[in-house]
Amino acid sequence: MSENISSAELLPDQALRFYLDAGVDETIGKEPVDRYALSQSAAKAQKSNRPPTSAPSQGKSHPSRPKPGVPAPPVAPAPSSPASQSATALAAAASSLPELRAAIEGFEGCSLKSTAKSTVFADGNADGRLMVIGEAPGGDEDRQGLPFVGVSGKLLDLMLESIGFTRESAYITNVVPWRPPGNRKPTPEEVALCVPFLERHIALVKPEVILMVGGLSAKTLLNRTEGITRLRGRWETVATPGLDVPIPAIATFHPAYLLRSPQQKRLVWRDLLAVKEKLDTSAPS
Ligand code: URA
């Protein structure tokens, strides 16, 4: 497209193509929302410890819009926000998996929920020995309400089968239960809001081994900043409130990455064998 043409001047089908090329694949409202103004309101509310007020008027001038090149403050609340406190309280009060699922489904504090079709809770056997924790649902998962059912899920199935598991015998979930729009990475604030639910999930399932799939999963559960290339293939432990003993956990590459870089399957095979060996050498509890 020529740089001199604005999207308003395009014909409807050209405009649609422009939006698709730009990565816009969701319609989430009829009226545009000034999120810069919203985030300012949220920041002010946080300072005065009050919930944010509704969006100010959508007039043409944008006095709160930051200058180009200046990053906008995060829209999602900080960990000590009312939403985060609510997530922690709701998660702690859940004493079973159905209660936890209901708590997550009823939680309105994370904006990802408003753009997702489904809350993707988990799949598989909650009494199984292995808990697999991925990153966030994609489009297929959002449509079906189940984790890892798309193309990378098919590869995950094969990975699990290679060490004697199926998606029915393992237990599969994600760090974030809602699909981020356009499959973008969830922000640290969005992840922080989901962590209390994830920790409670682990404490209720009490698996013998956790397989962390992808960098976001490993970084979140291990509270580390290194990339997956450094984190994968080492035994660590995950300790969450409600667990008597920490759970052995190992990270591996995400199947979506393997689809792009099949030469890394060799390393993933090593990680999977380590999981099998760990489970083979410890009696089922
Ligand atoms: N990628 C993930 O991390 N999780 C899913 O459920 C699907 C794709």
Side-chain angles (χ1 to χ4, degrees):
M1 187 183 67
S2 149
E3 282 182 8
N4 299 325
I5 302 175
S6 82
S7 59
E9 292 171 282
L10 297 172
L11 295 170
D13 60 332
Q14 286 176 308
L16 191 58
R17 169 62 45 206
F18 167 77
Y19 285 128
L20 284 171
D21 290 345
V24 180
D25 65 352
E26 301 278 345
T27 310
I28 57 175
K30 287 187 179 157
E31 297 299 326
V33 176
D34 185 348
R35 299 205 178 273
Y36 293 114
L38 271 179
S39 58
Q40 281 234 332
S41 152
K44 271 193 207 143
Q46 245 174 34
K47 268 196 190 158
S48 60
N49 217 5
R50 277 184 288 105
T53 53
S54 57
S57 80
Q58 303 283 311
K60 275 197 174 164
S61 69
H62 297 279
S64 61
R65 182 164 286 177
K67 291 191 181 74
V70 178
V75 174
S80 59
S81 67
S84 164
Q85 288 166 11
S86 158
T88 304
L90 284 168
S95 56
S96 65
L97 290 172
E99 281 183 23
L100 182 66
R101 178 196 280 263
I104 299 173
E105 284 172 350
F107 179 63
E108 300 296 339
C110 181
S111 58
L112 289 180
K113 188 178 175 207
S114 61
T115 51
K117 179 173 173 285
S118 317
T119 296
V120 177
F121 183 66
D123 196 15
N125 178 9
D127 296 321
R129 303 180 72 193
L130 176 64
M131 184 168 186
V132 178
I133 303 179
E135 301 189 336
D140 291 311
E141 289 75 19
D142 187 41
R143 273 184 291 280
Q144 296 187 41
L146 291 168
F148 281 106
V149 289
V151 186
S152 61
K154 300 284 169 267
L155 183 51
L156 179 68
D157 290 351
L158 294 175
M159 287 160 59
L160 292 176
E161 274 169 32
S162 72
I163 52 165
F165 281 90
T166 60
R167 62 185 296 126
E168 287 79 33
S169 61
Y171 188 75
I172 306 173
T173 189
N174 282 309
V175 172
V176 172
W178 300 288
R179 178 197 183 203
N183 293 341
R184 66 163 169 77
K185 278 228 171 284
T187 66
E189 291 77 15
E190 288 159 352
V191 171
L193 283 170
C194 298
V195 162
F197 296 119
L198 177 64
E199 289 188 338
R200 192 74 192 127
H201 211 153
I202 294 169
L204 289 170
V205 174
K206 284 194 178 59
E208 286 175 53
V209 166
I210 294 174
L211 177 64
M212 300 168 287
V213 168
L216 180 76
S217 176
K219 286 184 204 180
T220 306
L221 285 162
L222 303 177
N223 203 12
R224 299 264 284 275
T225 54
E226 301 99 303
I228 185 67
T229 306
R230 273 183 182 270
L231 294 177
R232 63 144 286 279
R234 301 162 186 233
W235 283 107
E236 306 279 353
T237 53
V238 168
T240 71
L243 281 179
D244 300 333
V245 284
I247 298 174
I250 193 167
T252 198
F253 289 127
H254 196 284
Y257 171 68
L258 284 188
L259 289 169
R260 298 191 301 273
S261 308
Q263 71 279 12
Q264 303 288 25
K265 284 185 183 169
R266 192 176 49 90
L267 295 175
V268 171
W269 175 232
R270 241 191 242 174
D271 304 338
L272 292 169
L273 282 181
V275 169
K276 181 167 162 41
E277 197 181 316
K278 178 74 101 192
L279 289 169
D280 285 352
T281 51
S282 66
S285 57

